Amino acid sequence: MISLQPIPPLDTVPAPPLRFADRTHRMVPSETRALFSMAARENVVSLAGGMPSPEALPAEELRAVLQEVLAAEGPQALQYGSAQGDPVLREQICDVMAAEGIEASPDEVLVTVGSQQALDLVTRVFVNPGDSVVTEGPTYVTALSTFAAHQARVVEVAMDQGGVVPQALADAFALLAAEGRPAKFFYTVPTFQNPTGRVLGTDRRREVLDICRRAGVLVVEDNPYGLLHFGERPHRALCADAPEGVIHLGSFSKTLAPGLRVGWARAPRAVTDKLVLATESAMLSHSGLAQRAVSRFLGTRSWHGHLATARSLYRDRRDAMLDELAAVMPDGVSWTIPAGGFFVWLTLPAGLDARMMMPHAIEGGVAYVPGTGFHTRGGERHLRLSYSYPSAGQVREGVRRLSDVIRAEWAHGDASRLQEAVGR
Ligand code: PMP
C-alpha cells in the first residue's frame, strides 16, 4: 500500500482572497431563475418557465437513436471532434435552415451548445467592455445576462405589435454613431419573440435590414422558435435576404430536446472562423454523442412529422390560454396573440406593477415572469406568460387564478387610492 505523506497543516495561512474579474460584477442571477424556486412550489401553476412540454420530448425515439449511434459509430461518437462541429450534422442544419429561406453552406455553420453558447461566442468575438449592443425592448432575458457578462452597454429600441419600430432603430444607430461608439450589432428575435410572441412583419424585415445595412451594423438573428409556427408556412428569416449582414442562431432545444444542448450559428465565413477559434478556447469540441444523436434523428426519423406534432400540441395550449384570457380577464388588461412559439405578453392596467404583484400571485397559486426582467429598465406593467409546459387544463386554471389576483390587486389599489383621497 502506498502511504501518502501528510503535508504540514495550512490552517494558519488564510485562504487566498477571491480577486474576481470586473466582468463578474455584472453577473447576477436572472429574474427568471430566482422565480423558478417559487414557481416550483406545490399547488402553483407555473406559467413562468419557457421549457418545452415533456410530451414533445421524444425520449423513446432518442433512446433508440442513441443505441444505434453507439452500435454503429461508438468510437467516433465518444472521441474528441472538430471545434466547428460534425460535418454531416452541419449539412443537415443547412437543410433545416432552408425551410426559412436560408441558403447556407456547411462551412459557414458552427455547432454550439444550444443557441445560448452561440450568443455568448458572438458577443465574445465582437464586444469589448463598454461597446454598445442594440436590442429590442423587451428582449430575451438571458441575452441581457450575456451582454452584461461581456460588459456591453445595452441600448433598447421600442417595439410595437409589428416588432421593432424601424424609425426608433435608425435613431438609436444614429445617436450611437454620433457619440463615436457605433453599435457592434443589433440583437433581435424576429419570429415569435421571447418574451412577447411577436413577429417582425414582412415589410418591416426589409426595412430593418435596410436600416442596419446603411448604418453598417451587423444583425444577430436569434431564432429558436421559427419552426414552431401555428399557421401554414414559416416566416422568411432575416438571414435569407442578407446573408452577409446577418449572423443567424438556431437551436434544437425547442424543436427536439434542450437536454441535448445542440444549437448552431450561421455566419459569414470570416465570422465563423473567429467563432471556431473562440469555441476551441472555450471547450475544445462539442459532445460527439449529442451531435450524432441529432444527426441520426434528422436522417432516419420523421423530422417533419415530429415538428407537426409539436406545433399542434403548442397550438392547442396557445388556444387554451387565449380562450381563457378572453373569458376571464378584467377590462384594461391586454395581451399579444402569438402565431407560434411559447409566449404571451400581458399588459396590466396603469397603476398595477407585475413585480409587486408576484408574491400575491404565488399565494394565489400562479407564477409568471414580471416584465422588468426583459428590460434594462421599466417594464413594470407587463408580464410574460408561457403555455408551453403546463397542460391545456393547467394553462386555463393558471389564467383563471391570475385573473383573480389582478382583480384583487386592482380592488386593493382602489381602496388605497380612495383612502389617499379621503386622507388628503
Ligand atoms: N434565445 C432565445 C430567444 C431563447 O428563448 C432561448 C431559450 N429560452 C435561447 C436563446 C437559448 O436556448 P438554447 O441554448 O437551449 O438553444
Side-chain angles (χ1 to χ4, degrees):
M1 204 163 93
I2 306 168
S3 87
L4 296 173
Q5 284 294 316
I7 53 167
L10 290 174
D11 49 7
T12 51
V13 183
L18 304 177
R19 297 190 187 92
F20 286 120
D22 291 349
R23 75 180 71 87
T24 63
H25 302 327
R26 289 173 59 198
M27 292 177 179
V28 289
S30 81
E31 197 139 347
T32 333
R33 188 133 54 85
L35 278 171
F36 276 149
S37 57
M38 282 204 266
R41 282 192 212 158
E42 230 182 294
N43 300 328
V44 171
V45 174
S46 179
L47 305 176
M51 291 176 302
S53 162
E55 291 96 316
L57 305 177
E60 248 328 289
E61 273 178 294
L62 282 172
R63 185 188 59 76
V65 161
L66 280 163
Q67 268 176 350
E68 288 165 26
V69 167
L70 286 169
E73 41 185 352
Q76 299 91 319
L78 297 174
Q79 194 49 274
Y80 285 115
S82 97
Q84 188 164 0
D86 184 81
V88 178
L89 177 59
R90 286 190 280 117
E91 241 167 72
Q92 292 167 306
I93 286 173
C94 291
D95 295 341
V96 168
M97 288 191 289
E100 290 167 282
I102 300 171
E103 287 172 30
S105 91
D107 57 357
E108 297 168 334
V109 174
L110 169 81
V111 180
T112 58
V113 181
S115 54
Q116 192 63 44
Q117 192 206 16
L119 186 59
D120 187 75
L121 293 172
V122 167
T123 312
R124 187 184 304 205
V125 305
F126 280 105
V127 171
N128 292 316
D131 279 352
S132 307
V133 167
V134 173
T135 69
E136 288 148 344
T139 191
Y140 168 49
V141 59
T142 320
L144 289 176
S145 310
T146 303
F147 302 146
H150 289 282
Q151 298 166 285
R153 170 185 175 213
V154 174
V155 176
E156 274 183 34
V157 174
M159 298 178 83
D160 62 19
Q161 296 305 327
V164 72
V165 177
Q167 190 55 52
L169 186 65
D171 291 349
F173 288 160
L175 207 70
L176 290 170
E179 277 180 13
R181 297 201 294 183
K184 277 293 171 80
F185 56 78
F186 169 47
Y187 170 76
T188 173
V189 187
T191 310
F192 317 132
Q193 197 222 21
N194 181 359
T196 63
R198 287 178 186 141
V199 173
L200 183 67
T202 308
D203 292 344
R204 274 206 194 171
R205 286 186 185 231
R206 197 154 307 122
E207 226 178 318
V208 162
L209 286 175
D210 194 51
I211 288 167
C212 291
R213 169 136 0 150
R214 285 173 198 283
V217 177
L218 264 178
V219 176
V220 176
E221 174 180 41
D222 191 6
N223 185 42
Y225 304 101
L227 291 178
L228 294 177
H229 49 90
F230 305 147
E232 285 293 295
R233 282 151 43 107
H235 291 268
R236 193 171 163 82
L238 291 172
C239 178
D241 293 312
E244 285 312 307
V246 178
I247 300 173
H248 182 89
L249 313 184
S251 176
F252 290 105
S253 286
K254 315 296 166 159
T255 48
L256 194 53
L260 292 166
R261 307 306 300 132
V262 181
W264 69 91
R266 194 293 341 170
R269 265 309 296 266
V271 176
T272 309
D273 290 348
K274 287 272 190 236
L275 295 175
V276 172
L277 295 175
T279 305
E280 275 168 5
S281 76
M283 54 181 286
L284 286 185
S285 69
H286 185 29
S287 158
L289 190 58
Q291 290 183 87
R292 278 163 201 262
V294 174
S295 178
R296 186 167 279 261
F297 187 95
L298 293 172
T300 64
R301 302 321 199 251
S302 170
W303 171 240
H304 294 289
H306 173 74
L307 283 178
T309 310
R311 284 179 197 130
S312 125
L313 184 132
Y314 294 126
R315 188 175 39 228
D316 286 352
R317 290 178 187 192
R318 186 273 319 249
D319 289 348
M321 181 168 276
L322 294 180
D323 285 353
E324 204 60 37
L325 283 166
V328 301
M329 277 296 155
D331 286 349
V333 178
S334 58
W335 53 89
T336 55
I337 311 249
F342 286 3
F343 306 109
V344 166
W345 185 243
L346 188 128
T347 305
L348 297 170
L352 293 193
D353 180 320
R355 187 151 52 170
M356 310 265 272
M357 193 171 81
M358 190 64 193
H360 305 147
I362 296 291
E363 267 167 47
V366 61
Y368 55 81
V369 188
T372 42
F374 305 96
H375 284 279
T376 47
R377 67 178 71 91
E380 291 81 1
R381 272 180 64 198
H382 302 280
L383 52 98
R384 188 191 77 179
L385 300 177
S386 169
Y387 47 79
S388 57
Y389 189 86
S391 67
Q394 288 169 323
V395 165
R396 286 181 183 277
E397 179 59 28
V399 170
R400 282 196 289 272
R401 291 179 186 182
L402 181 62
S403 160
D404 291 345
V405 172
I406 294 173
R407 284 171 197 277
E409 200 79 356
W410 186 246
H412 176 76
D414 267 356
S416 354
R417 277 190 289 275
L418 192 66
Q419 229 168 25
E420 234 174 66
V422 172
R424 249 190 251 128

